[in-house]
Amino acid sequence: MLLSELIKHKIKVVFCDEKHNPQSELISYYGSHDTSAKIRTQIQWTREVKENVWTEIVAEKVKQQSEHLKKYELKVPADMLKQYIEEIELGDKTNREGHAAKVYFNALFGMDFSRSKDCAINAALNYGYGILLSCFNREVIANGYITKLGLFHNNMFNQFNLSSDLMEPFRILVDRIVVKNKPEKFDSEEKMNFIYMLEDEVMIDGKHQYISNAIKIYCTSIFDALNENDVSLIKFYEVI
């Protein structure tokens, strides 16, 4: 009965594993009163509009990564990422995002660092990304769309392809926390660093907003851009 009432009030329930890492979540099948219409619209998004929106998302992510590197006076890799932005093609067919990620993480954590490495830094990154993914899943569902049908991500085993697409520029907010703390282990104490992450403020649409509110504004703007075929409607955040 409790879980049912939580769902009725659109409250996301996240279940954790034995190590207290986000593992699964409970989300409503029906996020809004016109869910069936929204899903029909989602299915009809053209390849062109999805590629246009995805290109904007990738460019913004790389831009945020470049700005983050500048904070630590890593000018050479930051400039390299700016060059990648200029080289991004429609739909990022040349995978500038992937090349940028390698440069970015190596600049922050060393040349021997890999995102597949079993270490405290990756554990922290994955934990923070998990929190973000949960927030984006909630917004996708609340807006009446389904998380499985993505713009770029299309893994048949990924239940959250669309959320994985939309969250990309926000990953840098997690990166900033991890770089600041540089954990040598990742237990409950290190997880506390992420507790108030969503209550930090960013600038979006000309106003200061909590990150949780910025995610709502951003997601709504993405859906507007997809439905109107107008990428100028997308509202990205700026770090204060």
Side-chain angles (χ1 to χ4, degrees):
M1 290 177 64
L2 171 62
L3 294 176
S4 178
E5 288 302 312
L6 289 171
I7 288 299
K8 287 178 184 178
H9 288 82
K10 297 183 180 180
I11 297 173
K12 173 67 67 65
V13 182
V14 179
F15 298 98
C16 297
D17 60 18
E18 69 280 0
K19 295 182 179 179
H20 308 291
N21 290 315
Q23 186 179 50
S24 61
E25 53 194 51
L26 186 64
I27 53 179
S28 172
Y29 279 135
Y30 316 108
S32 67
H33 66 283
D34 57 350
T35 295
S36 58
K38 292 287 185 63
I39 293 175
R40 283 195 295 270
T41 299
Q42 182 178 1
I43 292 172
Q44 292 171 357
W45 289 338
T46 65
R47 178 178 179 179
E48 178 186 9
V49 70
K50 288 191 290 186
E51 286 187 341
N52 285 335
V53 171
W54 175 243
T55 303
E56 294 295 314
I57 289 174
V58 169
E60 180 63 21
K61 177 185 179 182
V62 179
K63 174 189 170 186
Q64 291 287 354
Q65 289 175 326
S66 178
E67 292 296 324
H68 187 201
L69 293 180
K70 285 182 182 177
K71 178 182 177 182
Y72 293 95
E73 299 182 355
L74 297 167
K75 186 178 186 304
V76 173
D79 288 345
M80 191 178 298
L81 295 196
K82 287 179 66 177
Q83 180 62 36
Y84 283 154
I85 295 173
E86 296 177 5
E87 297 172 356
I88 294 175
E89 299 179 6
L90 181 64
D92 191 28
K93 293 181 175 63
T94 58
N95 192 27
R96 294 298 92 184
E97 180 201 14
H99 291 292
K102 179 174 177 56
V103 172
Y104 173 72
F105 284 115
N106 286 155
L108 289 176
F109 303 119
M111 295 303 294
D112 62 339
F113 178 81
S114 168
R115 280 289 288 130
S116 61
K117 188 176 181 180
D118 184 10
C119 62
I121 288 176
N122 274 326
L125 290 171
N126 293 337
Y127 185 81
Y129 295 157
I131 293 174
L132 276 183
L133 180 63
S134 178
C135 294
F136 277 90
N137 287 337
R138 181 179 61 207
E139 291 307 314
V140 171
I141 295 298
N143 278 278
Y145 300 97
I146 53 179
T147 61
K148 301 173 184 66
L149 300 180
L151 308 177
F152 171 76
H153 290 85
N154 62 0
N155 189 324
M156 63 182 292
F157 302 109
N158 183 1
Q159 300 297 308
F160 311 118
N161 284 311
L162 182 56
S163 308
S164 299
D165 289 326
L166 302 190
M167 70 178 281
E168 291 293 354
F170 284 75
R171 288 178 179 269
I172 289 77
L173 298 174
V174 172
D175 302 342
R176 286 174 174 267
I177 294 175
V178 176
V179 172
K180 179 181 178 180
N181 293 284
K182 290 186 177 177
E184 295 183 359
K185 60 184 180 65
F186 192 70
D187 294 320
S188 57
E189 182 178 343
E190 286 71 32
K191 292 173 185 175
M192 295 291 287
N193 294 322
F194 294 97
I195 285 184
Y196 300 110
M197 176 178 68
L198 299 177
E199 295 180 16
D200 286 341
E201 290 190 356
V202 294
M203 182 75 74
I204 188 169
D205 198 22
K207 298 179 181 178
H208 286 69
Q209 297 282 0
Y210 292 125
I211 290 174
S212 55
N213 291 334
I215 290 173
K216 295 177 185 290
I217 295 168
Y218 163 75
C219 286
T220 299
S221 75
I222 289 285
F223 296 135
D224 288 343
L226 287 163
N227 293 328
E228 301 296 330
N229 193 14
D230 185 357
V231 295
S232 70
L233 297 175
I234 302 176
K235 298 175 182 177
F236 292 115
Y237 74 90
E238 295 179 15
V239 174
I240 300 173

